[in-house]
Amino acid sequence: MDTVDTVVGRRIRARRSALGLSQAELGRAIGVRFQQVQKYESGANRVSASRLWAIAEVLDVHISHFFEGIQAPESGMIDGSDAPIDRLMFLKDRDSVEMVEIYSSLPPAQKRAVLAFVRTMAVDRQLSGEKVPG
């Protein structure tokens, strides 16, 4: 089951990978061994606030980056028994990251066209009875 620690770890891994940094390079930059970075990224070890601040600086993001899009489960507070909802989970997929990067570089008119096309594809899937993740 996912915890906030796991979600934060995935965000660290995604940003580190996007920048082309190895776990060893990130570890050296924040003063830990690569094994500790592995534990942070898997959610096995909780990242302290000061360490997360250092990671954010090395990865050139605001510290809030690691928490954006995380929502409490519908059942209420996150107490370890309910998994948080990660609205940015799709970013763990390299193709999704590439798609977002390409989309971001398009001019507004092309962005609208791409979005309209993708919406049409999603509606077609729904009409065919195929389950659309969401």
Side-chain angles (χ1 to χ4, degrees):
M1 172 168 31
D2 286 350
T3 65
V4 172
D5 297 323
T6 305
V7 174
V8 169
R10 277 197 306 257
R11 302 275 176 91
I12 293 169
R13 180 184 302 121
R15 181 65 181 165
R16 177 187 57 74
S17 295
L19 293 176
L21 289 174
S22 70
Q23 289 176 331
E25 291 168 324
L26 177 57
R28 276 192 298 276
I30 62 171
V32 301
R33 296 178 185 267
F34 80 91
Q35 293 95 332
Q36 185 62 44
V37 174
Q38 285 177 329
K39 291 176 184 179
Y40 290 154
E41 290 184 352
S42 71
N45 282 14
R46 192 169 277 171
V47 184
S48 70
S50 58
R51 184 78 69 205
L52 190 58
W53 188 276
I55 291 169
E57 286 189 342
V58 171
L59 299 181
D60 195 30
V61 293
H62 189 275
I63 198 163
S64 65
H65 167 81
F66 301 111
F67 301 98
E68 290 171 356
I70 300 174
Q71 298 174 335
E74 289 182 19
S75 61
M77 298 300 294
I78 301 170
D79 62 1
S81 62
D82 287 322
I85 299 166
D86 183 1
R87 304 285 295 158
L88 301 179
M89 178 78 162
F90 69 93
L91 291 176
K92 75 176 189 173
D93 175 47
R94 289 185 190 274
D95 290 341
S96 296
V97 172
E98 181 181 6
M99 175 100 74
V100 169
E101 289 172 346
I102 292 169
Y103 178 84
S104 296
S105 69
L106 296 174
Q110 288 180 347
K111 284 181 180 179
R112 287 190 297 276
V114 169
L115 187 55
F117 175 70
V118 172
R119 283 182 179 140
T120 301
M121 291 175 62
V123 169
D124 288 348
R125 284 184 66 194
Q126 287 175 335
L127 293 175
S128 71
E130 194 174 340
K131 175 98 171 109
V132 179

Short mmCIF file of all heavy atoms in Angstrom, two decimals, residues 45-111:
data_model
loop_
_atom_site.label_atom_id
_atom_site.label_comp_id
_atom_site.label_asym_id
_atom_site.label_seq_id
_atom_site.Cartn_x
_atom_site.Cartn_y
_atom_site.Cartn_z
N ASN A 45 12.45 4.34 3.82
CA ASN A 45 12.88 5.28 4.86
C ASN A 45 12.21 6.62 4.62
O ASN A 45 12.12 7.10 3.49
CB ASN A 45 14.39 5.49 4.83
CG ASN A 45 15.15 4.35 5.47
OD1 ASN A 45 14.61 3.28 5.72
ND2 ASN A 45 16.42 4.58 5.71
N ARG A 46 11.75 7.22 5.68
CA ARG A 46 11.11 8.53 5.64
C ARG A 46 12.20 9.60 5.46
O ARG A 46 13.25 9.53 6.08
CB ARG A 46 10.37 8.72 6.95
CG ARG A 46 9.44 9.88 6.99
CD ARG A 46 8.57 9.80 8.21
NE ARG A 46 7.45 8.90 7.91
CZ ARG A 46 6.59 8.47 8.82
NH1 ARG A 46 6.73 8.81 10.07
NH2 ARG A 46 5.59 7.70 8.46
N VAL A 47 11.91 10.59 4.63
CA VAL A 47 12.85 11.69 4.40
C VAL A 47 12.55 12.79 5.40
O VAL A 47 11.42 13.26 5.50
CB VAL A 47 12.71 12.25 2.96
CG1 VAL A 47 13.77 13.32 2.70
CG2 VAL A 47 12.80 11.14 1.92
N SER A 48 13.56 13.19 6.16
CA SER A 48 13.36 14.28 7.12
C SER A 48 13.12 15.59 6.37
O SER A 48 13.46 15.72 5.19
CB SER A 48 14.58 14.44 8.04
OG SER A 48 15.67 14.96 7.30
N ALA A 49 12.55 16.55 7.06
CA ALA A 49 12.26 17.84 6.44
C ALA A 49 13.53 18.51 5.92
O ALA A 49 13.55 19.03 4.79
CB ALA A 49 11.54 18.74 7.44
N SER A 50 14.59 18.49 6.71
CA SER A 50 15.83 19.15 6.28
C SER A 50 16.46 18.43 5.09
O SER A 50 16.98 19.07 4.18
CB SER A 50 16.82 19.25 7.43
OG SER A 50 17.13 17.96 7.93
N ARG A 51 16.37 17.11 5.07
CA ARG A 51 16.92 16.36 3.94
C ARG A 51 16.07 16.58 2.69
O ARG A 51 16.59 16.73 1.60
CB ARG A 51 16.97 14.87 4.28
CG ARG A 51 17.60 14.02 3.23
CD ARG A 51 19.11 14.09 3.22
NE ARG A 51 19.63 13.46 4.42
CZ ARG A 51 20.79 13.74 4.98
NH1 ARG A 51 21.58 14.63 4.42
NH2 ARG A 51 21.19 13.16 6.07
N LEU A 52 14.76 16.65 2.85
CA LEU A 52 13.89 16.89 1.71
C LEU A 52 14.15 18.28 1.13
O LEU A 52 14.14 18.48 -0.08
CB LEU A 52 12.42 16.74 2.10
CG LEU A 52 11.42 16.73 0.95
CD1 LEU A 52 11.73 15.61 -0.05
CD2 LEU A 52 10.00 16.59 1.48
N TRP A 53 14.43 19.24 2.01
CA TRP A 53 14.78 20.59 1.56
C TRP A 53 16.04 20.54 0.69
O TRP A 53 16.10 21.15 -0.37
CB TRP A 53 14.99 21.50 2.77
CG TRP A 53 15.16 22.93 2.40
CD1 TRP A 53 16.32 23.55 2.01
CD2 TRP A 53 14.14 23.92 2.34
NE1 TRP A 53 16.08 24.88 1.75
CE2 TRP A 53 14.76 25.13 1.94
CE3 TRP A 53 12.78 23.92 2.62
CZ2 TRP A 53 14.03 26.31 1.80
CZ3 TRP A 53 12.08 25.11 2.47
CH2 TRP A 53 12.71 26.28 2.06
N ALA A 54 17.04 19.79 1.17
CA ALA A 54 18.30 19.66 0.41
C ALA A 54 18.06 18.97 -0.93
O ALA A 54 18.61 19.38 -1.96
CB ALA A 54 19.33 18.88 1.23
N ILE A 55 17.24 17.94 -0.93
CA ILE A 55 16.92 17.23 -2.17
C ILE A 55 16.23 18.18 -3.15
O ILE A 55 16.56 18.21 -4.34
CB ILE A 55 16.04 15.99 -1.87
CG1 ILE A 55 16.86 14.92 -1.14
CG2 ILE A 55 15.45 15.41 -3.16
CD1 ILE A 55 16.04 13.77 -0.56
N ALA A 56 15.29 18.96 -2.66
CA ALA A 56 14.59 19.92 -3.51
C ALA A 56 15.56 20.91 -4.14
O ALA A 56 15.44 21.24 -5.33
CB ALA A 56 13.51 20.65 -2.71
N GLU A 57 16.53 21.37 -3.35
CA GLU A 57 17.52 22.31 -3.89
C GLU A 57 18.36 21.67 -4.98
O GLU A 57 18.59 22.26 -6.03
CB GLU A 57 18.40 22.85 -2.77
CG GLU A 57 17.68 23.85 -1.89
CD GLU A 57 18.60 24.57 -0.92
OE1 GLU A 57 19.73 24.09 -0.67
OE2 GLU A 57 18.18 25.62 -0.42
N VAL A 58 18.82 20.44 -4.74
CA VAL A 58 19.65 19.74 -5.74
C VAL A 58 18.84 19.47 -7.01
O VAL A 58 19.34 19.60 -8.12
CB VAL A 58 20.22 18.42 -5.16
CG1 VAL A 58 20.88 17.59 -6.25
CG2 VAL A 58 21.20 18.73 -4.03
N LEU A 59 17.58 19.09 -6.83
CA LEU A 59 16.72 18.75 -7.98
C LEU A 59 16.05 19.97 -8.60
O LEU A 59 15.28 19.85 -9.55
CB LEU A 59 15.67 17.72 -7.56
CG LEU A 59 16.23 16.38 -7.07
CD1 LEU A 59 15.10 15.43 -6.72
CD2 LEU A 59 17.17 15.76 -8.09
N ASP A 60 16.36 21.16 -8.05
CA ASP A 60 15.89 22.44 -8.59
C ASP A 60 14.36 22.51 -8.68
O ASP A 60 13.80 22.87 -9.72
CB ASP A 60 16.52 22.70 -9.96
CG ASP A 60 16.37 24.15 -10.39
OD1 ASP A 60 16.32 25.03 -9.51
OD2 ASP A 60 16.29 24.40 -11.62
N VAL A 61 13.71 22.13 -7.58
CA VAL A 61 12.25 22.27 -7.47
C VAL A 61 11.93 22.86 -6.11
O VAL A 61 12.74 22.80 -5.18
CB VAL A 61 11.52 20.91 -7.61
CG1 VAL A 61 11.65 20.35 -9.01
CG2 VAL A 61 11.98 19.89 -6.58
N HIS A 62 10.75 23.44 -6.00
CA HIS A 62 10.27 23.92 -4.70
C HIS A 62 9.90 22.69 -3.88
O HIS A 62 9.47 21.67 -4.44
CB HIS A 62 9.06 24.83 -4.88
CG HIS A 62 8.66 25.52 -3.62
ND1 HIS A 62 7.84 24.93 -2.70
CD2 HIS A 62 9.00 26.74 -3.13
CE1 HIS A 62 7.66 25.76 -1.70
NE2 HIS A 62 8.36 26.87 -1.92
N ILE A 63 10.06 22.74 -2.60
CA ILE A 63 9.77 21.59 -1.75
C ILE A 63 8.32 21.11 -1.90
O ILE A 63 8.03 19.92 -1.76
CB ILE A 63 10.14 21.88 -0.27
CG1 ILE A 63 10.26 20.58 0.51
CG2 ILE A 63 9.17 22.87 0.33
CD1 ILE A 63 11.00 20.72 1.82
N SER A 64 7.43 22.01 -2.25
CA SER A 64 6.02 21.62 -2.44
C SER A 64 5.84 20.66 -3.62
O SER A 64 4.83 19.96 -3.69
CB SER A 64 5.15 22.86 -2.64
OG SER A 64 5.50 23.53 -3.83
N HIS A 65 6.82 20.62 -4.52
CA HIS A 65 6.77 19.71 -5.67
C HIS A 65 6.50 18.27 -5.23
O HIS A 65 5.80 17.52 -5.92
CB HIS A 65 8.09 19.78 -6.45
CG HIS A 65 8.28 18.69 -7.45
ND1 HIS A 65 7.70 18.74 -8.70
CD2 HIS A 65 8.95 17.52 -7.38
CE1 HIS A 65 8.03 17.64 -9.35
NE2 HIS A 65 8.79 16.89 -8.59
N PHE A 66 7.04 17.90 -4.10
CA PHE A 66 6.92 16.51 -3.64
C PHE A 66 5.55 16.18 -3.07
O PHE A 66 5.25 15.02 -2.82
CB PHE A 66 8.02 16.21 -2.62
CG PHE A 66 9.40 16.42 -3.17
CD1 PHE A 66 10.19 17.46 -2.72
CD2 PHE A 66 9.90 15.61 -4.18
CE1 PHE A 66 11.46 17.68 -3.25
CE2 PHE A 66 11.16 15.82 -4.72
CZ PHE A 66 11.94 16.86 -4.25
N PHE A 67 4.72 17.21 -2.87
CA PHE A 67 3.40 17.00 -2.27
C PHE A 67 2.24 17.42 -3.16
O PHE A 67 1.09 17.09 -2.86
CB PHE A 67 3.31 17.76 -0.93
CG PHE A 67 4.37 17.32 0.04
CD1 PHE A 67 5.54 18.05 0.20
CD2 PHE A 67 4.21 16.15 0.78
CE1 PHE A 67 6.52 17.63 1.08
CE2 PHE A 67 5.19 15.73 1.67
CZ PHE A 67 6.35 16.47 1.81
N GLU A 68 2.52 18.14 -4.24
CA GLU A 68 1.45 18.61 -5.12
C GLU A 68 0.68 17.43 -5.70
O GLU A 68 1.26 16.45 -6.12
CB GLU A 68 2.04 19.46 -6.26
CG GLU A 68 2.57 20.79 -5.78
CD GLU A 68 3.35 21.54 -6.85
OE1 GLU A 68 3.54 21.01 -7.95
OE2 GLU A 68 3.78 22.66 -6.54
N GLY A 69 -0.64 17.54 -5.69
CA GLY A 69 -1.47 16.51 -6.28
C GLY A 69 -1.78 15.34 -5.38
O GLY A 69 -2.51 14.44 -5.77
N ILE A 70 -1.23 15.32 -4.16
CA ILE A 70 -1.54 14.24 -3.23
C ILE A 70 -2.81 14.62 -2.48
O ILE A 70 -2.92 15.72 -1.96
CB ILE A 70 -0.40 14.00 -2.22
CG1 ILE A 70 0.90 13.62 -2.93
CG2 ILE A 70 -0.79 12.90 -1.22
CD1 ILE A 70 2.09 13.51 -2.00
N GLN A 71 -3.76 13.70 -2.46
CA GLN A 71 -5.01 13.95 -1.76
C GLN A 71 -5.24 12.87 -0.72
O GLN A 71 -4.86 11.72 -0.92
CB GLN A 71 -6.18 13.94 -2.74
CG GLN A 71 -6.10 15.01 -3.79
CD GLN A 71 -7.20 14.87 -4.83
OE1 GLN A 71 -7.73 13.80 -5.05
NE2 GLN A 71 -7.52 15.98 -5.47
N ALA A 72 -5.90 13.24 0.35
CA ALA A 72 -6.29 12.25 1.35
C ALA A 72 -7.33 11.33 0.73
O ALA A 72 -8.10 11.75 -0.12
CB ALA A 72 -6.86 12.93 2.58
N PRO A 73 -7.34 10.06 1.12
CA PRO A 73 -8.36 9.15 0.60
C PRO A 73 -9.74 9.61 1.03
O PRO A 73 -9.89 10.36 1.99
CB PRO A 73 -8.00 7.80 1.22
CG PRO A 73 -7.09 8.11 2.35
CD PRO A 73 -6.45 9.43 2.07
N GLU A 74 -10.76 9.16 0.30
CA GLU A 74 -12.13 9.59 0.58
C GLU A 74 -12.56 9.25 2.00
O GLU A 74 -13.42 9.90 2.56
CB GLU A 74 -13.09 8.97 -0.43
CG GLU A 74 -12.93 9.57 -1.81
CD GLU A 74 -13.92 9.01 -2.81
OE1 GLU A 74 -14.95 8.44 -2.40
OE2 GLU A 74 -13.66 9.15 -4.01
N SER A 75 -11.94 8.23 2.59
CA SER A 75 -12.34 7.81 3.93
C SER A 75 -11.86 8.77 5.01
O SER A 75 -12.22 8.62 6.17
CB SER A 75 -11.82 6.41 4.22
OG SER A 75 -10.41 6.41 4.17
N GLY A 76 -11.04 9.75 4.64
CA GLY A 76 -10.62 10.74 5.63
C GLY A 76 -9.13 10.89 5.74
O GLY A 76 -8.43 10.86 4.76
N MET A 77 -8.67 11.04 6.97
CA MET A 77 -7.27 11.34 7.24
C MET A 77 -6.37 10.18 6.86
O MET A 77 -6.76 9.03 6.92
CB MET A 77 -7.07 11.65 8.73
CG MET A 77 -7.84 12.86 9.22
SD MET A 77 -7.38 14.38 8.37
CE MET A 77 -5.70 14.56 8.90
N ILE A 78 -5.14 10.53 6.51
CA ILE A 78 -4.13 9.52 6.20
C ILE A 78 -3.47 9.11 7.50
O ILE A 78 -2.73 9.87 8.09
CB ILE A 78 -3.09 10.07 5.20
CG1 ILE A 78 -3.76 10.50 3.91
CG2 ILE A 78 -2.01 9.04 4.94
CD1 ILE A 78 -2.85 11.26 2.97
N ASP A 79 -3.78 7.92 7.97
CA ASP A 79 -3.21 7.46 9.23
C ASP A 79 -2.35 6.22 9.02
O ASP A 79 -2.02 5.53 9.97
CB ASP A 79 -4.33 7.17 10.24
CG ASP A 79 -5.27 6.06 9.76
OD1 ASP A 79 -5.04 5.50 8.67
OD2 ASP A 79 -6.23 5.76 10.50
N GLY A 80 -2.02 5.93 7.78
CA GLY A 80 -1.23 4.74 7.49
C GLY A 80 -2.08 3.58 7.04
O GLY A 80 -1.59 2.65 6.42
N SER A 81 -3.39 3.61 7.32
CA SER A 81 -4.25 2.50 6.92
C SER A 81 -4.87 2.74 5.55
O SER A 81 -5.29 1.81 4.89
CB SER A 81 -5.35 2.28 7.96
OG SER A 81 -6.16 3.43 8.05
N ASP A 82 -4.96 3.99 5.13
CA ASP A 82 -5.51 4.33 3.83
C ASP A 82 -4.42 4.96 2.98
O ASP A 82 -3.67 5.80 3.44
CB ASP A 82 -6.67 5.32 3.96
CG ASP A 82 -7.92 4.68 4.53
OD1 ASP A 82 -8.18 3.52 4.18
OD2 ASP A 82 -8.61 5.34 5.32
N ALA A 83 -4.37 4.54 1.72
CA ALA A 83 -3.36 5.07 0.81
C ALA A 83 -3.78 6.45 0.31
O ALA A 83 -4.94 6.67 -0.02
CB ALA A 83 -3.18 4.13 -0.37
N PRO A 84 -2.83 7.39 0.25
CA PRO A 84 -3.15 8.69 -0.33
C PRO A 84 -3.39 8.54 -1.83
O PRO A 84 -2.91 7.59 -2.45
CB PRO A 84 -1.90 9.52 -0.05
CG PRO A 84 -0.81 8.52 0.06
CD PRO A 84 -1.45 7.28 0.65
N ILE A 85 -4.10 9.45 -2.40
CA ILE A 85 -4.37 9.44 -3.83
C ILE A 85 -3.35 10.37 -4.49
O ILE A 85 -3.26 11.54 -4.15
CB ILE A 85 -5.80 9.92 -4.12
CG1 ILE A 85 -6.80 8.98 -3.44
CG2 ILE A 85 -6.05 10.03 -5.61
CD1 ILE A 85 -8.21 9.52 -3.35
N ASP A 86 -2.57 9.82 -5.39
CA ASP A 86 -1.52 10.58 -6.08
C ASP A 86 -2.01 10.93 -7.48
O ASP A 86 -1.99 10.11 -8.37
CB ASP A 86 -0.23 9.77 -6.14
CG ASP A 86 0.92 10.52 -6.76
OD1 ASP A 86 0.74 11.70 -7.14
OD2 ASP A 86 2.01 9.93 -6.87
N ARG A 87 -2.45 12.17 -7.66
CA ARG A 87 -2.99 12.61 -8.94
C ARG A 87 -1.90 12.73 -10.01
O ARG A 87 -2.21 12.91 -11.18
CB ARG A 87 -3.70 13.96 -8.77
CG ARG A 87 -4.80 13.97 -7.74
CD ARG A 87 -6.05 13.30 -8.18
NE ARG A 87 -6.62 14.04 -9.30
CZ ARG A 87 -7.46 13.51 -10.17
NH1 ARG A 87 -7.85 12.29 -10.06
NH2 ARG A 87 -7.92 14.23 -11.16
N LEU A 88 -0.63 12.65 -9.63
CA LEU A 88 0.46 12.74 -10.60
C LEU A 88 1.15 11.40 -10.81
O LEU A 88 2.26 11.34 -11.33
CB LEU A 88 1.47 13.80 -10.14
CG LEU A 88 0.92 15.22 -9.98
CD1 LEU A 88 2.02 16.16 -9.50
CD2 LEU A 88 0.30 15.72 -11.27
N MET A 89 0.49 10.31 -10.42
CA MET A 89 1.06 8.98 -10.53
C MET A 89 1.51 8.66 -11.96
O MET A 89 2.48 7.95 -12.18
CB MET A 89 0.03 7.96 -10.05
CG MET A 89 0.45 6.54 -10.16
SD MET A 89 1.56 6.17 -8.80
CE MET A 89 1.48 4.42 -8.84
N PHE A 90 0.80 9.21 -12.94
CA PHE A 90 1.13 8.94 -14.33
C PHE A 90 2.56 9.36 -14.69
O PHE A 90 3.13 8.87 -15.65
CB PHE A 90 0.13 9.63 -15.27
CG PHE A 90 0.24 11.12 -15.29
CD1 PHE A 90 1.03 11.77 -16.22
CD2 PHE A 90 -0.45 11.89 -14.35
CE1 PHE A 90 1.13 13.15 -16.23
CE2 PHE A 90 -0.36 13.27 -14.37
CZ PHE A 90 0.43 13.90 -15.30
N LEU A 91 3.16 10.24 -13.88
CA LEU A 91 4.50 10.72 -14.19
C LEU A 91 5.58 9.68 -13.93
O LEU A 91 6.74 9.91 -14.25
CB LEU A 91 4.80 12.00 -13.41
CG LEU A 91 4.00 13.21 -13.85
CD1 LEU A 91 4.31 14.40 -12.96
CD2 LEU A 91 4.25 13.55 -15.31
N LYS A 92 5.23 8.53 -13.37
CA LYS A 92 6.23 7.50 -13.17
C LYS A 92 6.54 6.78 -14.49
O LYS A 92 7.54 6.10 -14.61
CB LYS A 92 5.80 6.50 -12.09
CG LYS A 92 4.74 5.53 -12.52
CD LYS A 92 4.45 4.54 -11.43
CE LYS A 92 3.55 3.44 -11.95
NZ LYS A 92 3.37 2.38 -11.02
N ASP A 93 5.69 6.96 -15.48
CA ASP A 93 5.85 6.34 -16.79
C ASP A 93 6.66 7.27 -17.70
O ASP A 93 6.29 8.43 -17.88
CB ASP A 93 4.47 6.07 -17.37
CG ASP A 93 4.50 5.53 -18.78
OD1 ASP A 93 5.30 4.61 -19.04
OD2 ASP A 93 3.74 6.04 -19.62
N ARG A 94 7.76 6.77 -18.25
CA ARG A 94 8.64 7.62 -19.08
C ARG A 94 7.91 8.20 -20.28
O ARG A 94 8.14 9.34 -20.67
CB ARG A 94 9.85 6.82 -19.55
CG ARG A 94 10.84 6.52 -18.47
CD ARG A 94 12.09 5.84 -19.07
NE ARG A 94 12.95 5.34 -18.04
CZ ARG A 94 13.88 6.07 -17.43
NH1 ARG A 94 14.04 7.32 -17.77
NH2 ARG A 94 14.65 5.54 -16.50
N ASP A 95 7.02 7.41 -20.90
CA ASP A 95 6.27 7.91 -22.05
C ASP A 95 5.38 9.08 -21.66
O ASP A 95 5.23 10.05 -22.41
CB ASP A 95 5.43 6.80 -22.68
CG ASP A 95 6.26 5.74 -23.38
OD1 ASP A 95 7.45 6.01 -23.69
OD2 ASP A 95 5.74 4.64 -23.62
N SER A 96 4.78 9.00 -20.48
CA SER A 96 3.93 10.10 -20.01
C SER A 96 4.74 11.36 -19.79
O SER A 96 4.30 12.47 -20.15
CB SER A 96 3.22 9.71 -18.71
OG SER A 96 2.34 8.63 -18.93
N VAL A 97 5.91 11.21 -19.20
CA VAL A 97 6.78 12.36 -18.97
C VAL A 97 7.18 12.98 -20.30
O VAL A 97 7.12 14.20 -20.48
CB VAL A 97 8.03 11.97 -18.14
CG1 VAL A 97 9.02 13.11 -18.07
CG2 VAL A 97 7.62 11.53 -16.74
N GLU A 98 7.54 12.14 -21.26
CA GLU A 98 7.91 12.65 -22.58
C GLU A 98 6.72 13.37 -23.23
O GLU A 98 6.88 14.45 -23.82
CB GLU A 98 8.38 11.52 -23.49
CG GLU A 98 8.81 12.00 -24.86
CD GLU A 98 9.27 10.89 -25.79
OE1 GLU A 98 9.17 9.70 -25.42
OE2 GLU A 98 9.73 11.22 -26.90
N MET A 99 5.53 12.79 -23.09
CA MET A 99 4.33 13.41 -23.67
C MET A 99 4.09 14.79 -23.06
O MET A 99 3.81 15.76 -23.78
CB MET A 99 3.11 12.53 -23.44
CG MET A 99 1.82 13.15 -23.90
SD MET A 99 1.22 12.60 -25.47
CE MET A 99 0.61 11.01 -25.09
N VAL A 100 4.23 14.91 -21.75
CA VAL A 100 4.03 16.20 -21.07
C VAL A 100 5.09 17.19 -21.52
O VAL A 100 4.78 18.37 -21.77
CB VAL A 100 4.04 16.03 -19.54
CG1 VAL A 100 4.10 17.37 -18.84
CG2 VAL A 100 2.82 15.23 -19.08
N GLU A 101 6.33 16.75 -21.65
CA GLU A 101 7.40 17.65 -22.09
C GLU A 101 7.14 18.16 -23.50
O GLU A 101 7.29 19.36 -23.79
CB GLU A 101 8.76 16.94 -22.02
CG GLU A 101 9.24 16.72 -20.61
CD GLU A 101 10.49 15.84 -20.53
OE1 GLU A 101 10.84 15.17 -21.54
OE2 GLU A 101 11.10 15.81 -19.46
N ILE A 102 6.74 17.26 -24.40
CA ILE A 102 6.45 17.66 -25.78
C ILE A 102 5.25 18.60 -25.82
O ILE A 102 5.29 19.66 -26.46
CB ILE A 102 6.22 16.43 -26.68
CG1 ILE A 102 7.53 15.64 -26.83
CG2 ILE A 102 5.66 16.84 -28.04
CD1 ILE A 102 7.35 14.27 -27.46
N TYR A 103 4.19 18.22 -25.11
CA TYR A 103 2.97 19.04 -25.06
C TYR A 103 3.29 20.44 -24.55
O TYR A 103 2.82 21.44 -25.10
CB TYR A 103 1.93 18.36 -24.17
CG TYR A 103 0.66 19.14 -24.00
CD1 TYR A 103 -0.37 19.05 -24.96
CD2 TYR A 103 0.47 19.97 -22.91
CE1 TYR A 103 -1.54 19.77 -24.81
CE2 TYR A 103 -0.71 20.70 -22.76
CZ TYR A 103 -1.71 20.59 -23.71
OH TYR A 103 -2.86 21.31 -23.56
N SER A 104 4.12 20.54 -23.53
CA SER A 104 4.47 21.83 -22.93
C SER A 104 5.19 22.74 -23.91
O SER A 104 5.13 23.96 -23.79
CB SER A 104 5.35 21.64 -21.69
OG SER A 104 4.63 20.95 -20.71
N SER A 105 5.89 22.15 -24.88
CA SER A 105 6.65 22.96 -25.82
C SER A 105 5.81 23.43 -27.02
O SER A 105 6.29 24.23 -27.81
CB SER A 105 7.86 22.17 -26.33
OG SER A 105 7.43 21.10 -27.16
N LEU A 106 4.58 22.95 -27.13
CA LEU A 106 3.73 23.31 -28.27
C LEU A 106 3.12 24.70 -28.10
O LEU A 106 2.86 25.14 -26.98
CB LEU A 106 2.59 22.30 -28.42
CG LEU A 106 2.97 20.86 -28.74
CD1 LEU A 106 1.73 19.98 -28.72
CD2 LEU A 106 3.67 20.77 -30.09
N PRO A 107 2.84 25.37 -29.22
CA PRO A 107 2.12 26.64 -29.14
C PRO A 107 0.67 26.38 -28.73
O PRO A 107 0.16 25.26 -28.90
CB PRO A 107 2.21 27.22 -30.56
CG PRO A 107 2.64 26.11 -31.44
CD PRO A 107 3.28 25.06 -30.58
N PRO A 108 -0.03 27.38 -28.19
CA PRO A 108 -1.38 27.20 -27.65
C PRO A 108 -2.37 26.52 -28.61
O PRO A 108 -3.13 25.65 -28.20
CB PRO A 108 -1.83 28.62 -27.31
CG PRO A 108 -0.56 29.34 -27.02
CD PRO A 108 0.46 28.75 -27.96
N ALA A 109 -2.37 26.88 -29.87
CA ALA A 109 -3.32 26.30 -30.83
C ALA A 109 -3.08 24.80 -30.98
O ALA A 109 -4.02 24.00 -31.05
CB ALA A 109 -3.22 26.99 -32.18
N GLN A 110 -1.82 24.39 -31.04
CA GLN A 110 -1.51 22.97 -31.15
C GLN A 110 -1.84 22.22 -29.87
O GLN A 110 -2.30 21.08 -29.90
CB GLN A 110 -0.04 22.77 -31.53
CG GLN A 110 0.25 23.16 -32.96
CD GLN A 110 1.71 22.96 -33.34
OE1 GLN A 110 2.57 22.75 -32.49
NE2 GLN A 110 1.99 23.02 -34.63
N LYS A 111 -1.64 22.88 -28.71
CA LYS A 111 -2.03 22.25 -27.44
C LYS A 111 -3.52 21.95 -27.43
O LYS A 111 -3.95 20.87 -27.03
CB LYS A 111 -1.67 23.16 -26.25
CG LYS A 111 -0.22 23.19 -25.90
CD LYS A 111 0.01 24.09 -24.69
CE LYS A 111 1.47 24.12 -24.32
NZ LYS A 111 1.74 24.99 -23.17
#
